DNA sequence: TCTGGGGTCCTAGGACCC
DNA sequence: TCTGGGGTCCTAGGACCC
């Protein structure tokens, strides 16, 4: 068995650099919604000691001092470039699992490659040549080791490819790396392992897998086996989503029911259109809201409310109407809300789902209307046609002060080249 | 002043059944 | 005094991931 893990380097930053080569070798950051947190860092920013996920206001002076270039997130651009990278990977490695926006696992056994490492190096070169996105490749007999190999490829190689297969190399690598750096070992488990005197990944590897299962859980047992080179986690096939969520934090607190319900209606519409893309109808919807959890000195309120639909539906109007009802149940006057959101779950297939015996509902008409809505918005932009309850003014709208252009997905934002 | 968003899996415990 | 045994399904909450 031989797995590869291909991971784009500093993906969002690399996307910004594709269309703005002046950013090369400069410290760059990409920020979350409302320009709140750091969600991607160039190597230069990492060396300045900026951690992943820090609130921007905490590092304001470092940004100023080192003239770090900040971008608001531009998911339209990143999503499109991700698709192109994945396309190239699947071309070269048909047996692939797209694991996240910037990562893919692949199986290379069955491919009769003379030199897998060289093949991956060529692939890496092709991706860079076609798209300008640098990637790193880890190769190993299990997914967990491939993750580690990728980490080593980023840190310790010039070529960007690391093949982890010789037992003595694996041992050296595991002794060199903390247990908490292993894929699947998070903060909580890492701390617990430390109390058991398990510090390095090698310590973890030497644990009894059955004991680990007994005292912790089956995930840890699998991790230990995978560290030993015994493959437990295979590639996973693409599956329909089990839940779809849409929520946003407000830049400034919201107190009025109208503002809150307009925001919620907008998120509900988003979630529904995503459900329709997958041809799924949720039968359960959950509405949740909360105050700002970081303002510890202020009164906190966080609540969720849930409803099982008599008839599953992905009709935006139906979901908005039900969601607004749920919001009314948990809304309290005088509370300063920071976030509201919706979760759709317990999906059924759009075609052939069960109706309601006692109330006739013209599903065909509903689907036709939703298709028209989706078509119009695909053609004229996401906000061309919307339900009135989504509101027009949107005072709660998120802030993105420094967005780059959607170079690859919008005609009017293409790169312009001038000739003299 | 200022702190993102969207997912999955696992487990324990309750409800229910025969 | 003394109250079985075995199974499934569902859910909430925790942990983890990118």
């Amino acid at each position: 068995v031989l797995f590869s893990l291909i991971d784009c380097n500093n993906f969002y930053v690399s996307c910004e650099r594709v269309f703005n080569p002046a950013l090369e070798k400069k410290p760059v950051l990409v920020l979350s919604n409302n320009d709140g947190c750091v969600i991607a860092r160039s190597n230069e920013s990492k060396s300045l000691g900026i951690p992943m996920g820090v609130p921007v206001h905490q590092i304001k002076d470092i940004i100023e001092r080192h003239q770090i270039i900040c971008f608001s997130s531009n998911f339209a651009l990143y999503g499109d470039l991700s698709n192109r990278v994945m396309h190239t990977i699947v071309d070269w490695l048909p047996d692939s699992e797209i694991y996240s926006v910037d990562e893919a696992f692949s199986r290379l056994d069955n491919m009769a490659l003379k030199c897998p490492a060289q093949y991956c190096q060529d692939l890496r070169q092709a991706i860079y040549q076609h798209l300008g996105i640098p990637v790193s490749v880890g190769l190993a007999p299990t997914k967990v080791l491939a993750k580690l190999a990728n980490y080593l490829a980023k840190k310790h190689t010039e070529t960007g490819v690391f093949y982890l297969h010789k037992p003595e190399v694996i041992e050296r690598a595991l002794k060199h790396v903390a247990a908490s750096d292993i894929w699947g070992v998070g903060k909580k488990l890492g701390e617990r392992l430390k109390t058991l005197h398990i510090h390095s990944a090698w310590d973890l590897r030497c644990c009894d897998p059955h004991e680990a299962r007994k005292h912790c859980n089956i995930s840890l047992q699998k991790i230990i086996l995978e560290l030993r080179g015994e493959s437990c986690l295979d590639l996973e096939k693409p599956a329909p989503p089990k839940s779809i969520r849409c929520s946003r934090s407000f830049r400034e607190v919201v107190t009025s029911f109208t503002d809150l319900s307009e925001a919620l209606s907008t998120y509900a519409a988003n979630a529904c259109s995503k459900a329709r893309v997958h041809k799924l109808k949720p039968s359960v919807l959950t509405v949740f809201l909360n105050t700002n959890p970081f303002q510890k000195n202020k009164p906190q309120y966080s609540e969720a409310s849930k409803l099982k639909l008599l008839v599953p539906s992905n009709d935006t109007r139906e979901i908005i109407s039900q969601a607004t009802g749920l919001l009314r149940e948990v809304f309290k006057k005088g509370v300063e809300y920071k976030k509201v959101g919706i979760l759709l779950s317990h999906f059924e297939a759009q075609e052939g789902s069960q109706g309601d015996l006692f109330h006739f509902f013209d599903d065909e008409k509903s689907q036709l209307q939703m298709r028209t809505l989706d078509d119009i918005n695909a053609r004229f932009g996401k906000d061309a046609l919307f339900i009135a309850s989504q509101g027009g003014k949107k005072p709660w709208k998120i802030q993105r002060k420094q967005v780059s252009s959607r170079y690859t997905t919008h005609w009017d934002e293409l790169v312009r080249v001038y000739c003299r």
Side-chain angles (χ1 to χ4, degrees):
Chain A
V1 191
L2 180 58
F3 288 93
S4 68
L5 174 66
I6 304 177
D7 187 320
C8 302
N9 301 348
N10 317 326
F11 183 52
Y12 296 166
V13 168
S14 296
C15 290
E16 297 293 347
R17 280 176 171 167
V18 169
F19 292 93
N20 196 344
L23 301 173
E24 248 10 280
K25 315 228 173 217
K26 297 207 174 127
V28 180
L29 297 175
V30 175
L31 312 180
S32 65
N33 279 339
N34 289 323
D35 300 334
C37 293
V38 171
I39 57 170
R41 306 157 295 159
S42 69
N43 288 344
E44 298 75 13
S45 301
K46 288 177 189 173
S47 343
L48 290 172
I50 296 173
M52 184 64 168
V54 277
V56 172
H57 67 87
Q58 282 179 14
I59 53 165
K60 247 180 162 172
D61 43 331
I62 309 181
I63 292 176
E64 188 92 353
R65 191 153 12 108
H66 294 94
Q67 310 230 315
I68 301 177
I69 305 155
C70 296
F71 286 91
S72 305
S73 38
N74 182 350
F75 293 116
L77 177 67
Y78 312 149
D80 185 64
L81 289 181
S82 167
N83 285 337
R84 294 169 193 238
V85 170
M86 296 307 164
H87 207 100
T88 308
I89 292 175
V90 172
D91 262 359
W92 283 60
L93 298 166
D95 211 3
S96 289
E97 169 196 341
I98 296 168
Y99 176 68
S100 75
V101 69
D102 71 331
E103 280 172 81
F105 283 104
S106 314
R107 285 274 300 253
L108 284 81
D109 40 314
N110 310 327
M111 281 187 69
L113 297 173
K114 260 197 210 131
C115 178
Q118 184 59 51
Y119 189 78
C120 289
Q121 204 136 322
D122 295 344
L123 167 54
R124 183 176 181 272
Q125 187 57 40
I127 293 170
Y128 191 72
Q129 191 173 340
H130 295 166
L131 300 160
I133 301 283
V135 306
S136 302
V137 187
L139 281 159
T142 69
K143 276 181 152 181
V144 168
L145 287 174
K147 265 276 187 188
L148 175 61
N150 187 286
Y151 172 83
L152 298 170
K154 281 208 170 74
K155 277 205 142 172
H156 301 294
T157 67
E158 290 294 305
T159 59
V161 178
F162 195 92
Y163 191 3
L164 190 57
H165 63 309
K166 287 194 196 121
E168 61 272 23
V169 181
I170 294 179
E171 179 171 343
R172 204 150 56 93
L174 292 181
K175 284 181 171 167
H176 184 83
V177 164
S180 51
D181 287 335
I182 295 299
W183 185 45
V185 179
K187 208 175 155 211
K188 273 275 152 61
L189 184 55
E191 275 164 24
R192 206 174 132 201
L193 290 175
K194 262 185 213 163
T195 67
L196 301 166
H197 305 291
I198 298 162
H199 298 278
S200 71
W202 182 254
D203 296 339
L204 183 57
R205 194 215 101 116
C206 295
C207 293
D208 180 346
H210 289 102
E211 290 295 305
R213 156 108 215 217
K214 233 170 52 192
H215 296 297
C216 197
N217 59 34
I218 193 165
S219 313
L220 188 65
Q221 181 184 28
K222 286 184 181 170
I223 289 170
I224 294 169
L225 290 171
E226 288 245 325
L227 286 175
R228 297 179 174 199
E230 191 177 319
S231 175
C232 306
L233 308 167
D234 205 347
L235 296 186
E236 284 176 28
K237 300 208 164 31
K242 294 177 176 163
S243 62
I244 294 174
R245 170 194 299 253
C246 186
S247 67
R248 295 286 178 276
S249 296
F250 307 122
R251 206 165 54 82
E252 281 159 8
V253 291
V254 167
T255 52
S256 94
F257 183 82
T258 311
D259 286 346
L260 215 51
S261 77
E262 286 182 0
L264 179 62
S265 297
T266 304
Y267 309 152
N270 271 342
C272 283
S273 84
K274 204 186 251 184
R276 291 195 293 271
V277 168
H278 293 281
K279 298 195 188 309
L280 294 172
K281 286 178 171 180
S283 60
V284 172
L285 72 138
T286 310
V287 165
F288 50 91
L289 39 59
N290 58 262
T291 48
N292 187 344
F294 297 103
Q295 305 243 295
K296 298 239 157 58
N297 50 340
K298 287 197 173 176
Q300 295 289 314
Y301 180 64
S302 168
E303 202 52 73
S305 142
K306 200 164 149 177
L307 172 78
K308 180 163 170 28
L309 298 170
L310 251 49
V311 181
S313 168
N314 59 17
D315 187 306
T316 303
R317 296 161 298 184
E318 168 70 4
I319 299 298
I320 285 183
S321 139
Q322 297 288 357
T324 309
L326 286 176
L327 181 65
R328 204 162 279 129
E329 283 177 19
V330 284
F331 176 80
K332 280 203 305 196
K333 245 185 146 173
V335 174
E336 300 191 325
Y337 294 102
K338 181 67 178 173
K339 180 190 268 190
V340 66
I342 186 168
L343 176 73
L344 309 180
S345 59
H346 298 76
F347 292 113
E348 286 186 11
Q350 185 169 283
E351 306 301 331
S353 67
Q354 181 114 315
D356 184 340
L357 183 57
F358 301 105
H359 300 280
F360 175 72
F361 174 71
D362 192 343
D363 189 54
E364 211 171 300
K365 189 172 165 190
S366 153
Q367 285 197 33
L368 188 61
Q369 288 168 333
M370 286 303 109
R371 195 150 61 236
T372 307
L373 173 76
D374 292 335
D375 286 349
I376 289 174
N377 286 342
R379 200 167 148 195
F380 297 105
K382 234 173 123 189
D383 312 318
L385 189 60
F386 57 91
I387 311 299
S389 59
Q390 291 175 231
K393 288 192 308 207
K394 312 197 184 231
W396 36 267
K397 209 173 158 130
I398 58 157
Q399 177 178 288
R400 292 154 85 211
K401 271 194 179 157
Q402 307 157 76
V403 220
S404 49
S405 301
R406 293 169 291 186
Y407 300 105
T408 59
T409 54
H410 282 70
W411 287 112
D412 44 354
E413 297 181 22
L414 295 182
V415 173
R416 285 158 199 264
V417 179
Y418 298 95
C419 297
R420 276 198 284 189

